[in-house]
Amino acid sequence: RGCGQCASFKMAMSFASKRLLSTATKFEQGLVSRLANGVTVVSQNQGEGVGTVSVYVAAGSRNETAKTAGVSHFLKFLPFQSTVGRTNMYIAREAENHGYQLLSCANRENLGYHVHFLPNQLGTAAGSLVDTVVAPAFFDWETRDNTENIHNDLDAVKGDNQLSLIKDAHKGLFRDTLGRPLLCSSARAEDITADLVKDYYKAHFVGERIAVVGTGVSHAQLVEAVKGLEKLPAKGAATKAAKYYGGAEIRTDLATDKVHAAFAFPGAAVGGADAAAVGVLRFLLGGSGANLKGSNGSFSNPLSAALAAAAPGSFCVQALHSSYSDAGLLAVTLSTDASTAAARISAAASTIQSVLSSVSDEDVARAKNQLIFSILSQERGALVSAAGAEALATHTFTPAAAKAAAVEKVTVADVKAAATRIKATKPVYVVRGALDETPYLDQLFK
């Protein structure tokens, strides 16, 4: 671990992080306002050649009930259909004529509607976006027609074991709320009606549950362009608080020669007191994947090293941290051959417990550099998404440079405190594939 190559790598990472931090501090700007009905408006103007306005609504799948299951998936598509004053064809032709793009996305907590436009098209582009959010028509035939989009989304993720691991990890850790399915099931899609969508829309598309994020535009112009959102009521449904459960074991036997496994723990909420420390822990556990530190095939993080030593052959391992308004999920996922699964899953469980029990100054310094680099090298889409989540959760905005500076201040004691909190909880264990030889949770975590 003390080789010159490794020391040079860490020094380069540190210099790179500081250089990126300096650049971000110089060019990054951010302003926050609230509209009369509580909509939060955030802007960043860094002189981009193309502007973006995104409207985020706290209406993701965590807010569904047995009665409304799957509705948020439909709402990912429906607002770009007809509105009270415009047909879907008019909306599409207007976008083509003015050269802007309308896009949508959805996650467990939020729905996002986006428009990318040329700088001189802010008024027209934002006006179209606001209209789709404020006055969707929700015609019966358009609701029915969107079942095809639902089925296309389901087909796109079919057989994706990584997504299945994450889905089951949320289910085991939170049960309902954040554990609810992100996608509408195929059978359920046939039962979604326009009236059901309208009721859900009325309860959740309200000022206090909406945030706007703009880039490449001035703050004053952005606020003026989205004033139409004030037509929405201020208050609506309350979000049920997420609750940690843990201790669940979810096993899915598949006809395959592979095994995919995940260990999930409670992470940190958006803006949480130990969010930066948990972010460092994620990289102590491996971050986004194995990091080669030389030509001899050894690894710079203990989890990858343990799996490499446990058995021959290839494997994939990564750690992820998903933050939500009132909770978080820290998880380690791995994939390997069925013949090596028992050894590698056991090695992963042992190493996770070891990392949560003891961290060194050197390991924390390395993980901090990697986290800072990941923050400052994010693409614009990821930055906008993070800004929207923060604006909805806290009605504030923290520039990437400030987030990186917060990571710089994280101490070994902070990381140990976060690790102690997480270690005191019962993990969720998810495993998929050829399970005959795979260990059980009570064999891995005593």
Side-chain angles (χ1 to χ4, degrees):
R1 194 180 285 271
C3 69
Q5 182 181 2
C6 186
S8 298
F9 171 75
K10 285 185 288 186
M11 186 178 296
M13 284 289 290
S14 179
F15 287 160
S17 294
K18 290 177 181 177
R19 184 165 60 250
L20 280 170
L21 179 59
S22 174
T23 301
T25 303
K26 181 178 180 181
F27 291 107
E28 198 169 51
Q29 302 177 45
L31 295 171
V32 182
S33 296
R34 300 290 296 276
L35 299 185
N37 61 344
V39 172
T40 303
V41 182
V42 174
S43 70
Q44 276 189 294
N45 187 0
Q46 299 178 5
E48 296 94 337
V50 175
T52 297
V53 175
S54 299
V55 176
Y56 292 95
V57 187
S61 59
R62 71 168 293 174
N63 300 284
E64 294 173 353
T65 63
K67 180 182 178 181
T68 59
V71 170
S72 66
H73 194 179
F74 272 78
L75 278 168
K76 172 186 173 183
F77 302 107
L78 283 173
F80 291 148
Q81 301 299 315
S82 299
T83 68
V84 172
R86 310 181 190 192
T87 66
N88 58 354
M89 183 172 291
Y90 179 89
I91 293 171
R93 285 182 173 175
E94 187 178 45
E96 290 177 353
N97 290 337
H98 292 279
Y100 59 80
Q101 291 182 319
L102 293 163
L103 306 167
S104 63
C105 62
N107 60 38
R108 286 177 172 79
E109 194 149 56
N110 309 320
L111 301 175
Y113 307 104
H114 319 278
V115 60
H116 305 299
F117 53 89
L118 298 173
N120 63 344
Q121 296 294 332
L122 170 62
T124 302
S128 181
L129 181 64
V130 168
D131 189 45
T132 64
V133 174
V134 170
F138 296 136
F139 291 126
D140 289 335
W141 63 88
E142 289 184 337
T143 302
R144 290 194 300 271
D145 288 347
N146 266 283
T147 58
E148 181 178 353
N149 290 325
I150 302 299
H151 293 306
N152 288 340
D153 275 0
L154 291 170
D155 289 341
V157 302
K158 190 178 297 182
D160 190 320
N161 285 292
Q162 181 72 14
L163 289 180
S164 295
L165 287 177
I166 301 306
K167 179 191 72 173
D168 286 346
H170 279 84
K171 182 179 180 180
L173 202 60
F174 301 107
R175 296 186 185 174
D176 59 355
T177 60
L178 292 166
R180 298 195 67 87
L182 178 59
L183 303 182
C184 179
S185 69
S186 180
R188 175 63 177 165
E190 307 303 323
D191 297 330
I192 302 296
T193 65
D195 287 340
L196 197 60
V197 174
K198 288 176 186 177
D199 289 343
Y200 190 87
Y201 168 87
K202 289 177 182 178
H204 296 92
F205 281 58
V206 296
E208 65 181 6
R209 301 178 69 90
I210 293 177
V212 177
V213 179
T215 63
V217 297
S218 78
H219 189 74
Q221 289 177 325
L222 175 63
V223 170
E224 185 62 31
V226 300
K227 277 279 189 180
L229 292 173
E230 290 184 334
K231 296 176 183 178
L232 294 169
K235 297 184 179 296
T239 295
K240 182 180 178 181
K243 180 181 178 181
Y244 294 118
Y245 290 91
E249 180 169 353
I250 302 174
R251 302 173 70 90
T252 305
D253 216 334
L254 302 172
T256 177
D257 60 354
K258 302 290 184 182
V259 171
H260 313 274
F263 297 101
F265 305 84
V270 173
D274 65 350
V278 175
V280 173
L281 266 177
R282 178 204 164 200
F283 280 91
L284 282 172
L285 290 169
S288 57
N291 298 306
L292 278 170
K293 75 170 184 182
S295 59
N296 60 352
S298 59
F299 296 92
S300 64
N301 70 73
L303 193 59
S304 295
L307 267 64
S314 62
F315 65 89
C316 295
V317 63
Q318 65 175 337
L320 59 90
H321 182 222
S322 298
S323 291
Y324 302 100
S325 61
D326 59 350
L329 179 144
L330 177 67
V332 171
T333 68
L334 66 96
S335 298
T336 188
D337 292 333
S339 60
T340 61
R344 283 192 164 132
I345 290 174
S346 296
S350 177
T351 305
I352 290 169
Q353 292 173 86
S354 176
V355 170
L356 293 178
S357 299
S358 176
V359 296
S360 70
D361 291 0
E362 180 184 8
D363 286 338
V364 169
R366 168 180 56 78
K368 284 171 61 175
N369 282 336
Q370 292 176 353
L371 176 56
I372 290 170
F373 188 87
S374 73
I375 291 171
L376 297 179
S377 60
Q378 282 182 309
E379 295 182 352
R380 183 170 64 166
L383 290 170
V384 170
S385 179
E390 183 182 11
L392 282 174
T394 66
H395 306 297
T396 61
F397 168 67
T398 306
K403 291 179 181 179
V407 175
E408 288 275 17
K409 296 177 181 178
V410 171
T411 65
V412 173
D414 294 331
V415 177
K416 287 181 176 179
T420 298
R421 172 180 70 79
I422 291 170
K423 188 181 178 184
T425 64
K426 296 179 179 179
V428 168
Y429 174 45
V430 182
V431 60
R432 299 170 55 83
L435 305 185
D436 287 347
E437 303 299 326
T438 56
Y440 288 82
L441 180 60
D442 60 1
Q443 298 172 308
L444 299 168
F445 287 79
K446 305 297 184 182

